Amino acid sequence: MEVTIGKGEARATREKVNSHFSDGKKTFNCPITNVLDRISDKWSIHAIITLGKADKLRFNELMKSIHGISQRMLTVTLRNLEQDGIVTRKIFPEIPPRVEYQLTDLGRSLLFQLIQLSEWATSNMDEIFAAREKFGNTNSSLPGR
Amino acid sequence: MEVTIGKGEARATREKVNSHFSDGKKTFNCPITNVLDRISDKWSIHAIITLGKADKLRFNELMKSIHGISQRMLTVTLRNLEQDGIVTRKIFPEIPPRVEYQLTDLGRSLLFQLIQLSEWATSNMDEIFAAREKFGNTNSSLPGR
DNA sequence: CCGTATCCCGACGGATACTG
DNA sequence: CAGTATCCGTCGGGATACGG
């Protein structure tokens, strides 16, 4: 068992959560709805982490690095991230054209959070797969989404 | 500016990312694709954090706490979380029936990550809204998804 | 090379009605 | 109370073709 949060810490954790979400106003203008839903699409996390691995990347380099993404979705994803101030888009007026994408400071601070999340996912993947199989279902990997 | 990662730390961060993602096998059996995509749906994060706030919750209590969720989607979301070993579902054979949902240890360790993410979102929401407006678009809050 | 413009399908998820 | 069952609209996102 990889989980390190003991039974006794459950209450403390709950209090910590409450202290950050009990405000009615914040619930209305919800950070999850307004911010996290934006990066919960199919490709944003991949794009951010890929950019985090390499500093600057060109469009085609991103295409090759993010396995399975289409040209259209890469464009859409990058535009959203740019709009949210998470990546910058620098155009070099050359022929053939070159465009470099790079995380902003804001983007890198988000990257830091996503790394944590990914590490969690990596550490607990086996346990989750086991749980899925135990549940009675067949194919545990490659869920439809 | 809320961002605390300095320019000089960018390289160090990149190395840290690489050390966790450079393995070809892990990229193939990708933790993001296999685990995070699962909780990237419309309601999972809300459900997990809501359960984190209250220890045990009944079905209707979750309905009331998660603003806007439908009966169907709450059921679907909880089943997925249960299947992944993130929540437990305890049925009390009474009349009227009672069902209590609670985070598992695995769920609470995930909750911890999601809190961090939410805190990030809360801290940087203003900056993101500002970036969205600056981009030239109108409504910055309440994106369609 | 780096996109945009269309077309289109499949799923996500809401609304509603019904059951143990 | 805690769900299922069904219907159905919306839109995320893939494939393809074209443009600067």
Side-chain angles (χ1 to χ4, degrees):
Chain A
M1 175 106 63
E2 270 282 72
V3 183
T4 52
I5 296 183
K7 209 72 177 178
E9 296 180 57
R11 203 179 59 94
T13 305
R14 231 172 299 130
E15 286 169 359
K16 193 166 188 300
V17 186
N18 279 312
S19 70
H20 281 279
F21 288 94
S22 56
D23 184 356
K25 272 174 52 186
K26 284 181 183 170
T27 302
F28 177 73
N29 209 0
C30 179
I32 301 175
T33 304
N34 288 295
V35 178
L36 299 190
D37 280 1
R38 214 40 188 262
I39 59 165
S40 296
D41 56 29
K42 197 173 181 181
W43 300 110
S44 290
I45 299 181
H46 293 273
I48 293 168
I49 290 181
T50 301
L51 279 173
K53 286 197 272 190
D55 193 19
K56 297 175 200 282
L57 281 180
R58 302 180 58 171
F59 189 85
N60 269 355
E61 293 174 330
L62 280 163
M63 276 286 285
K64 279 173 251 172
S65 298
I66 305 174
H67 189 70
I69 196 170
S70 65
Q71 211 170 23
R72 190 180 105 88
M73 288 318 296
L74 180 55
T75 305
V76 171
T77 301
L78 288 170
R79 287 297 183 284
N80 286 336
L81 294 177
E82 187 192 1
Q83 177 167 13
D84 284 4
I86 289 169
V87 307
T88 56
R89 178 169 178 261
K90 192 172 288 182
I91 309 170
F92 297 84
E94 309 166 356
I95 291 178
R98 174 165 54 115
V99 180
E100 282 181 356
Y101 294 90
Q102 185 175 20
L103 290 178
T104 61
D105 287 344
L106 181 63
R108 255 180 294 148
S109 74
L110 174 56
L111 169 68
F112 183 71
Q113 301 300 327
L114 298 183
I115 292 170
Q116 312 265 82
L117 242 195
S118 288
E119 285 177 357
W120 181 90
T122 304
S123 300
N124 298 97
M125 198 161 36
D126 291 343
E127 190 174 346
I128 291 173
F129 282 171
R132 283 178 193 170
E133 285 180 13
K134 201 178 169 189
F135 197 79
N137 210 345
T138 44
N139 54 336
S140 61
S141 65
L142 298 177
R145 204 275 218 221
Chain B
M1 176 105 62
E2 272 281 70
V3 183
T4 52
I5 297 182
K7 210 70 178 180
E9 295 181 56
R11 204 179 59 92
T13 305
R14 229 172 302 129
E15 284 169 0
K16 193 168 188 299
V17 185
N18 278 313
S19 70
H20 282 279
F21 288 94
S22 56
D23 184 357
K25 272 174 50 184
K26 285 181 182 170
T27 301
F28 178 72
N29 209 358
C30 178
I32 300 175
T33 304
N34 287 296
V35 178
L36 298 189
D37 279 2
R38 216 37 191 262
I39 61 165
S40 295
D41 57 26
K42 199 173 180 181
W43 298 110
S44 288
I45 299 181
H46 293 273
I48 293 168
I49 290 182
T50 302
L51 279 173
K53 287 197 269 187
D55 193 20
K56 297 175 201 284
L57 281 180
R58 303 180 57 171
F59 188 86
N60 270 354
E61 293 173 329
L62 280 163
M63 276 286 285
K64 278 174 253 174
S65 298
I66 305 175
H67 190 70
I69 197 171
S70 66
Q71 210 171 23
R72 191 180 102 88
M73 288 317 296
L74 180 55
T75 304
V76 171
T77 302
L78 289 171
R79 285 298 183 284
N80 285 337
L81 294 177
E82 187 192 0
Q83 177 167 12
D84 284 5
I86 290 169
V87 307
T88 56
R89 179 168 177 262
K90 193 172 288 180
I91 309 170
F92 296 83
E94 309 168 354
I95 293 177
R98 175 165 54 116
V99 180
E100 281 180 356
Y101 293 91
Q102 186 175 19
L103 290 177
T104 61
D105 287 344
L106 181 64
R108 253 178 291 124
S109 74
L110 174 56
L111 169 69
F112 184 71
Q113 302 298 328
L114 298 183
I115 293 170
Q116 312 263 82
L117 242 196
S118 289
E119 286 176 357
W120 181 90
T122 304
S123 300
N124 299 96
M125 198 161 35
D126 291 343
E127 190 174 347
I128 292 173
F129 282 171
R132 284 179 193 169
E133 287 181 12
K134 201 177 169 188
F135 196 79
N137 210 345
T138 43
N139 54 335
S140 61
S141 64
L142 299 177
R145 207 283 216 214

